């Protein structure tokens, strides 16, 4: 990871003899480029071998990131995946919403600041039920309380970790007001106010030694000695609250802007931005999915790819790679390179389709549509590439890949205009080809 951790000398801006303040260390960012589950955990684990600090900046335990090391499978939801490297400091920034019992359970299970309450998760469930009853369809959320807790943050009634630690009496008052508001809105909701407050009180002493002032901590990490800092995006571009397939999205910014707002970090500290792209497309939950294959191909991808949600256990919907989406994600994120994962899943196909354009009413449309009705109506224009019909899982260099697999990778690069830096050919840490 020579690209991160570099300190730059102060440079004079054009026409001025005054030096600019130093930028400090640059962070390397890993982001999902589709609808999630692209293999971000695996890419972060790889980069974390050489990192000092790994950060989460947004989302909560709706994320499910898998890392496989020595045949042991770890799943991370709130903790950054890079924590497997014992030398790495894990940092969970202000943009993340935390369910404290979930955090401790996860830390214990894998052994070795916004705040989600149990009632946020209950409200998520009730809201989904109401959507189903009132509008005939729900959003298909993970029911981790993500929507309700980010809504409370925006409504300025949310509670933060610093509130929990400052004064428990005041915290309890505000907690009760929030709980009463929800009870008013959802009369069937059962909230064990005293029970949850007791549990939270127990967490105060446990969490205290782990809490830092995020802005200062990050500033020191950026401006102290050279450090390799990684940011692990959760969820993905098409689930972004602003740029995703709204309203079938999550409630945070999963694109590059969320890195700055979720860590208290200036944009000039963003260095490499790696987009993680699955070699085909999957989506969990409801919403438009233009390249979805509700047929044998979709079934094959689902089975071979073991496409089952890490957080909810739901089967993931599957379809062809859609480069219209990836180009759109690149416009927002400015990817400096891509990691193309799960190429091995395509090994058995005689031919492979790749979505390259959208048509609506027989007209090619110039942009990825913001409107979901339009997105539902698009007809994907595909290029058909020949398959390679052979096992790629043992390949460890680009040259070892069959020619048609190489062509597939080059096609993605050329079409998106971003180099592919890694190719995934299996679950394990070793099953990754690095191109440069
Ligand atoms: P994340 O949410 O982006 O971290 O991805 P998930 O962990 O939810 O889903 C990705 C799944 O694919 C996990 O089960 C990974 O172990 C697996 N995976 C990642 N990369 C590869 C790959 O290159 N090949 C195969 N076969 N599996 C992979
Ligand atoms: P990772 O980090 C896949 C989807 C949910 C649902 C919608 C809203 O593992 O890639 P929410 O609970 O966030 O309010 O749900 O967003 N979703 C994900 N799908 N991977 C994820 O995370 C997801 N995080 C949220 O399935 O459709
Ligand atoms: Mg996942």
């Amino acid at each position: 990871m020579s690209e991160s951790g570099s300190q730059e000398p102060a440079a004079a801006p054009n026409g001025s003899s005054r030096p600019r303040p130093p930028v400090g260390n640059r962070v390397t960012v890993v982001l999902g480029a589709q609808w999630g589950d692209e293999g971000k955990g695996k890419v972060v684990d790889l980069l974390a071998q050489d990192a000092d600090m790994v950060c989460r900046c947004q989302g909560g335990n709706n994320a499910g990131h898998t890392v496989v090391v020595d045949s042991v499978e770890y799943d991370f939801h709130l903790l950054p995946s890079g924590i497997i490297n014992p030398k790495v400091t894990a940092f969970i920034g202000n943009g993340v919403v935390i369910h404290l019992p979930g955090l401790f359970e996860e830390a214990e299970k894998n052994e070795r600041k916004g705040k989600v309450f149990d009632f946020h998760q209950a409200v998520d469930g009730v809201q989904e039920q109401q959507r189903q009853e009132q509008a005939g369809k729900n959003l298909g959320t993970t029911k981790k309380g993500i929507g309700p807790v980010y809504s409370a943050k925006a409504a300025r009634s949310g509670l933060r970790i610093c509130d929990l630690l400052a004064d428990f009496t005041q915290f309890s008052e505000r907690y009760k007001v929030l709980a009463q508001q929800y009870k008013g809105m959802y009369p069937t909701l059962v909230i064990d106010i005293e029970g949850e407050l007791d549990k939270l009180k127990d967490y105060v002493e446990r969490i205290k030694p782990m809490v830092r002032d995020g802005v200062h901590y990050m500033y020191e990490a950026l401006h102290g000695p050279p450090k390799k800092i990684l940011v692990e995006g959760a969820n993905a571009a098409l689930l972004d609250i602003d740029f995703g397939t709204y309203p079938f999205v999550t409630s945070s910014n999963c694109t590059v802007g969320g890195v700055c707002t979720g860590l208290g970090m200036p944009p000039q500290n963003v260095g490499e931005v790696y987009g993680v792209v699955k070699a085909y497309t999957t989506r969990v939950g409801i919403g438009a999915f233009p390249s979805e294959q509700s047929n044998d191909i979709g079934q094959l991808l689902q089975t071979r790819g073991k496409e089952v949600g890490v957080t909810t256990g739901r089967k993931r919907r599957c379809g062809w790679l859609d480069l219209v989406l990836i180009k759109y994600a690149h416009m927002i994120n400015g990817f400096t390179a891509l990691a193309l994962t799960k190429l091995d899943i395509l090994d058995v196909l005689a031919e492979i389709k790749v979505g390259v354009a959208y048509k609506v009413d027989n007209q090619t449309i110039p942009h990825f549509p913001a409107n979901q009705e339009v997105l539902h109506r698009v007809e994907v224009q595909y290029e058909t590439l020949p398959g390679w019909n052979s096992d790629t899982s043992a390949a460890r260099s680009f040259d070892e890949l069959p020619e048609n697999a190489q062509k597939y990778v080059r096609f993605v690069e050329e079409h998106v205009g971003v180099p592919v830096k890694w190719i995934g050919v299996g679950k394990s840490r070793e099953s990754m080809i690095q191109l440069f």
Side-chain angles (χ1 to χ4, degrees):
M1 252 182 23
S2 55
E3 63 276 0
S4 70
S6 59
Q7 296 246 331
E8 282 175 18
N14 281 349
S16 159
S17 57
R18 294 197 172 185
R20 283 187 168 183
V23 169
N25 293 317
R26 303 225 186 222
V27 307
T28 296
V29 179
V30 176
L31 297 173
Q34 293 153 313
W35 274 292
D37 309 321
E38 299 88 352
K40 297 175 290 294
K42 185 180 156 192
V43 174
V44 167
D45 169 61
L46 194 82
L47 291 167
Q49 301 311 302
D50 189 24
D52 300 294
M53 189 169 157
V54 184
C55 314
R56 275 282 305 271
C57 61
Q58 46 70 230
N61 61 350
N62 52 348
H65 298 177
T66 318
V67 177
V68 182
V69 186
D70 298 332
S71 307
V72 180
E73 191 157 324
Y74 302 84
D75 57 300
F76 295 99
H77 300 271
L78 267 166
L79 294 172
S81 307
I83 203 168
I84 289 192
N85 173 358
K87 286 185 293 179
V88 150
T89 304
F91 181 74
I92 300 177
N94 57 281
V96 178
V97 291
I98 299 175
H99 183 243
L100 272 178
L103 179 68
F104 283 105
E105 263 165 41
E106 186 177 334
E108 281 156 22
K109 190 177 108 194
N110 284 300
E111 184 56 356
R112 340 181 258 137
K113 273 174 156 176
K115 168 89 191 64
V116 186
F117 298 120
D118 288 349
F119 64 59
H120 286 127
Q121 299 194 339
V123 168
D124 201 347
V126 175
Q127 286 179 342
E128 282 285 82
Q129 199 182 334
Q130 286 192 349
R131 285 180 193 119
Q132 186 66 45
E133 285 165 9
Q134 292 164 6
K137 65 178 174 200
N138 58 25
L139 294 182
T141 76
T142 59
K143 301 204 179 121
K144 297 291 179 188
I146 303 299
V149 73
Y150 277 115
S151 304
K153 171 181 170 177
R156 289 149 294 179
S157 54
L159 283 158
R160 303 182 298 166
I161 295 287
C162 59
D163 303 320
L164 176 68
L165 299 190
D167 178 338
F168 195 76
T169 312
Q170 263 188 29
F171 176 89
S172 304
E173 292 307 313
R174 289 179 54 195
Y175 171 94
K176 284 177 188 165
V177 170
L178 195 55
Q180 291 306 343
Q181 280 173 1
Y182 283 123
K183 277 191 156 181
M185 278 189 273
Y186 307 106
T188 55
L189 196 69
V190 180
I191 307 179
D192 177 9
I193 293 184
E194 293 307 326
E196 197 178 2
L197 279 172
D198 281 349
K199 270 200 300 185
L200 288 166
K201 198 163 190 183
D202 286 345
Y203 286 123
V204 171
E205 292 309 315
R206 289 177 74 187
I207 192 94
K208 210 178 245 173
M210 302 175 198
V211 177
R212 300 285 181 279
D213 181 297
V215 172
H216 284 91
Y217 191 83
M218 202 65 211
Y219 186 84
E220 278 162 26
L222 293 172
H223 294 279
K227 251 196 174 105
K228 287 173 180 167
I229 305 173
L230 263 177
V231 181
E232 174 173 352
N235 328 123
L238 276 298
L239 292 171
D240 183 282
I241 181 79
D242 285 289
F243 302 111
T245 46
Y246 191 91
F248 302 102
V249 292
T250 190
S251 298
S252 66
N253 284 115
C254 330
T255 45
V256 71
V259 173
C260 295
T261 56
L263 291 170
M265 190 189 87
Q268 58 268 39
N269 289 97
V270 175
E272 299 294 321
V273 182
Y274 296 135
V276 188
V277 176
K278 201 179 282 192
Y280 47 99
T281 312
T282 61
R283 176 162 202 177
V284 195
I286 321 290
F289 181 172
S291 67
E292 182 169 19
Q293 298 299 300
S294 308
N295 53 27
D296 289 353
I297 292 290
Q299 186 62 44
L300 179 134
L301 294 171
Q302 199 278 324
T303 317
R304 266 185 71 77
K306 300 192 175 63
E307 294 296 350
V308 177
V310 181
T311 303
T312 60
R314 289 179 289 179
K315 273 191 182 178
R316 297 172 182 148
R317 299 154 64 196
C318 297
W320 296 120
L321 179 62
D322 181 345
L323 293 180
V324 180
L325 294 185
I326 309 299
K327 282 170 98 167
Y328 174 72
H330 173 51
M331 288 168 82
I332 301 159
N333 289 314
F335 297 134
T336 56
L338 302 178
L340 188 67
T341 61
K342 302 191 99 162
L343 191 75
D344 54 303
I345 303 305
L346 306 180
D347 284 353
V348 295
L349 295 169
E351 50 182 38
I352 303 167
K353 291 189 177 188
V354 181
V356 291
Y358 287 168
K359 273 190 176 175
V360 177
D361 301 333
N362 267 329
Q363 301 274 337
T364 302
I365 54 170
H367 303 295
F368 181 77
N371 183 291
Q372 295 311 289
E373 295 313 314
V374 178
L375 191 62
H376 271 290
R377 287 199 297 123
V378 299
E379 281 175 46
V380 182
Q381 307 301 296
Y382 291 102
E383 291 250 357
T384 303
L385 305 183
W388 44 92
N389 270 311
S390 57
D391 185 357
T392 57
S393 63
R396 292 294 175 268
S397 71
F398 191 67
D399 294 343
E400 286 169 34
L401 286 176
E403 197 185 337
N404 285 347
Q406 295 186 3
K407 283 188 181 157
Y408 189 77
V409 176
R410 294 300 181 213
F411 185 86
V412 173
E413 277 187 329
E414 277 158 31
H415 199 87
V416 183
V418 180
V420 169
K421 189 172 167 105
W422 295 277
I423 302 165
V425 291
K427 273 178 159 251
S428 71
R429 193 184 265 170
E430 296 71 37
S431 309
M432 198 71 140
I433 297 169
Q434 182 158 349
L435 280 81
F436 58 93

mmCIF file of all heavy atoms in Angstrom, residues 302-316:
data_model
loop_
_atom_site.group_PDB
_atom_site.id
_atom_site.type_symbol
_atom_site.label_atom_id
_atom_site.label_comp_id
_atom_site.label_asym_id
_atom_site.label_seq_id
_atom_site.Cartn_x
_atom_site.Cartn_y
_atom_site.Cartn_z
ATOM 1 N N GLN A 302 -26.711 -17.737 -8.126
ATOM 2 C CA GLN A 302 -27.075 -17.746 -6.707
ATOM 3 C C GLN A 302 -26.466 -18.970 -6.012
ATOM 4 O O GLN A 302 -25.900 -18.852 -4.928
ATOM 5 C CB GLN A 302 -28.610 -17.743 -6.594
ATOM 6 C CG GLN A 302 -29.163 -17.303 -5.254
ATOM 7 C CD GLN A 302 -29.166 -18.426 -4.240
ATOM 8 O OE1 GLN A 302 -29.408 -19.572 -4.578
ATOM 9 N NE2 GLN A 302 -28.878 -18.089 -2.982
ATOM 10 N N THR A 303 -26.546 -20.109 -6.675
ATOM 11 C CA THR A 303 -26.066 -21.350 -6.052
ATOM 12 C C THR A 303 -24.545 -21.403 -6.039
ATOM 13 O O THR A 303 -23.934 -21.608 -5.002
ATOM 14 C CB THR A 303 -26.613 -22.574 -6.822
ATOM 15 O OG1 THR A 303 -27.983 -22.335 -7.116
ATOM 16 C CG2 THR A 303 -26.490 -23.847 -6.026
ATOM 17 N N ARG A 304 -23.941 -21.201 -7.213
ATOM 18 C CA ARG A 304 -22.469 -21.271 -7.271
ATOM 19 C C ARG A 304 -21.826 -20.180 -6.419
ATOM 20 O O ARG A 304 -20.819 -20.395 -5.760
ATOM 21 C CB ARG A 304 -21.990 -21.081 -8.722
ATOM 22 C CG ARG A 304 -21.768 -22.356 -9.478
ATOM 23 C CD ARG A 304 -21.179 -22.081 -10.856
ATOM 24 N NE ARG A 304 -19.791 -21.631 -10.839
ATOM 25 C CZ ARG A 304 -18.739 -22.409 -10.647
ATOM 26 N NH1 ARG A 304 -18.904 -23.683 -10.440
ATOM 27 N NH2 ARG A 304 -17.512 -21.908 -10.681
ATOM 28 N N GLY A 305 -22.450 -19.001 -6.435
ATOM 29 C CA GLY A 305 -21.890 -17.870 -5.689
ATOM 30 C C GLY A 305 -22.256 -17.893 -4.213
ATOM 31 O O GLY A 305 -21.858 -17.017 -3.464
ATOM 32 N N LYS A 306 -23.031 -18.897 -3.804
ATOM 33 C CA LYS A 306 -23.536 -18.986 -2.418
ATOM 34 C C LYS A 306 -24.073 -17.618 -1.990
ATOM 35 O O LYS A 306 -23.675 -17.057 -0.971
ATOM 36 C CB LYS A 306 -22.431 -19.454 -1.470
ATOM 37 C CG LYS A 306 -21.884 -20.822 -1.826
ATOM 38 C CD LYS A 306 -21.003 -21.376 -0.720
ATOM 39 C CE LYS A 306 -20.549 -22.796 -0.988
ATOM 40 N NZ LYS A 306 -19.705 -22.972 -2.183
ATOM 41 N N GLU A 307 -24.970 -17.095 -2.817
ATOM 42 C CA GLU A 307 -25.441 -15.735 -2.613
ATOM 43 C C GLU A 307 -26.589 -15.690 -1.597
ATOM 44 O O GLU A 307 -27.767 -15.677 -1.939
ATOM 45 C CB GLU A 307 -25.860 -15.115 -3.963
ATOM 46 C CG GLU A 307 -24.697 -14.929 -4.931
ATOM 47 C CD GLU A 307 -23.632 -13.941 -4.452
ATOM 48 O OE1 GLU A 307 -23.851 -13.236 -3.457
ATOM 49 O OE2 GLU A 307 -22.564 -13.882 -5.088
ATOM 50 N N VAL A 308 -26.195 -15.691 -0.352
ATOM 51 C CA VAL A 308 -27.126 -15.612 0.774
ATOM 52 C C VAL A 308 -26.614 -14.508 1.693
ATOM 53 O O VAL A 308 -25.420 -14.464 1.993
ATOM 54 C CB VAL A 308 -27.168 -16.959 1.537
ATOM 55 C CG1 VAL A 308 -28.085 -16.866 2.748
ATOM 56 C CG2 VAL A 308 -27.628 -18.087 0.623
ATOM 57 N N GLY A 309 -27.507 -13.606 2.118
ATOM 58 C CA GLY A 309 -27.093 -12.450 2.923
ATOM 59 C C GLY A 309 -26.399 -12.845 4.227
ATOM 60 O O GLY A 309 -26.871 -13.737 4.927
ATOM 61 N N VAL A 310 -25.287 -12.167 4.525
ATOM 62 C CA VAL A 310 -24.523 -12.450 5.746
ATOM 63 C C VAL A 310 -25.269 -11.946 6.981
ATOM 64 O O VAL A 310 -25.177 -12.506 8.064
ATOM 65 C CB VAL A 310 -23.132 -11.751 5.669
ATOM 66 C CG1 VAL A 310 -22.287 -12.042 6.894
ATOM 67 C CG2 VAL A 310 -22.392 -12.145 4.408
ATOM 68 N N THR A 311 -26.047 -10.882 6.816
ATOM 69 C CA THR A 311 -26.736 -10.270 7.946
ATOM 70 C C THR A 311 -28.124 -10.859 8.145
ATOM 71 O O THR A 311 -28.552 -11.094 9.270
ATOM 72 C CB THR A 311 -26.833 -8.736 7.730
ATOM 73 O OG1 THR A 311 -25.498 -8.253 7.571
ATOM 74 C CG2 THR A 311 -27.484 -8.028 8.893
ATOM 75 N N THR A 312 -28.839 -11.115 7.049
ATOM 76 C CA THR A 312 -30.241 -11.520 7.188
ATOM 77 C C THR A 312 -30.505 -12.952 6.753
ATOM 78 O O THR A 312 -31.612 -13.465 6.969
ATOM 79 C CB THR A 312 -31.147 -10.605 6.329
ATOM 80 O OG1 THR A 312 -30.723 -10.736 4.962
ATOM 81 C CG2 THR A 312 -31.060 -9.160 6.749
ATOM 82 N N GLY A 313 -29.552 -13.603 6.109
ATOM 83 C CA GLY A 313 -29.759 -14.970 5.630
ATOM 84 C C GLY A 313 -30.710 -15.048 4.442
ATOM 85 O O GLY A 313 -31.094 -16.135 4.015
ATOM 86 N N ARG A 314 -31.067 -13.876 3.868
ATOM 87 C CA ARG A 314 -31.966 -13.915 2.705
ATOM 88 C C ARG A 314 -31.175 -14.266 1.444
ATOM 89 O O ARG A 314 -30.011 -13.889 1.302
ATOM 90 C CB ARG A 314 -32.606 -12.532 2.482
ATOM 91 C CG ARG A 314 -33.622 -12.164 3.533
ATOM 92 C CD ARG A 314 -34.192 -10.775 3.267
ATOM 93 N NE ARG A 314 -33.210 -9.728 3.521
ATOM 94 C CZ ARG A 314 -33.438 -8.420 3.344
ATOM 95 N NH1 ARG A 314 -34.597 -8.012 2.882
ATOM 96 N NH2 ARG A 314 -32.516 -7.526 3.616
ATOM 97 N N LYS A 315 -31.844 -14.967 0.502
ATOM 98 C CA LYS A 315 -31.199 -15.258 -0.773
ATOM 99 C C LYS A 315 -31.015 -13.952 -1.526
ATOM 100 O O LYS A 315 -31.930 -13.113 -1.560
ATOM 101 C CB LYS A 315 -32.097 -16.170 -1.618
ATOM 102 C CG LYS A 315 -31.893 -17.630 -1.328
ATOM 103 C CD LYS A 315 -32.601 -18.465 -2.387
ATOM 104 C CE LYS A 315 -32.451 -19.941 -2.068
ATOM 105 N NZ LYS A 315 -33.161 -20.785 -3.022
ATOM 106 N N ARG A 316 -29.862 -13.792 -2.153
ATOM 107 C CA ARG A 316 -29.641 -12.585 -2.951
ATOM 108 C C ARG A 316 -30.157 -12.820 -4.372
ATOM 109 O O ARG A 316 -29.954 -13.901 -4.920
ATOM 110 C CB ARG A 316 -28.153 -12.239 -2.990
ATOM 111 C CG ARG A 316 -27.575 -11.918 -1.624
ATOM 112 C CD ARG A 316 -26.049 -11.776 -1.690
ATOM 113 N NE ARG A 316 -25.472 -11.512 -0.374
ATOM 114 C CZ ARG A 316 -24.258 -11.924 -0.007
ATOM 115 N NH1 ARG A 316 -23.490 -12.584 -0.834
ATOM 116 N NH2 ARG A 316 -23.804 -11.648 1.195
#
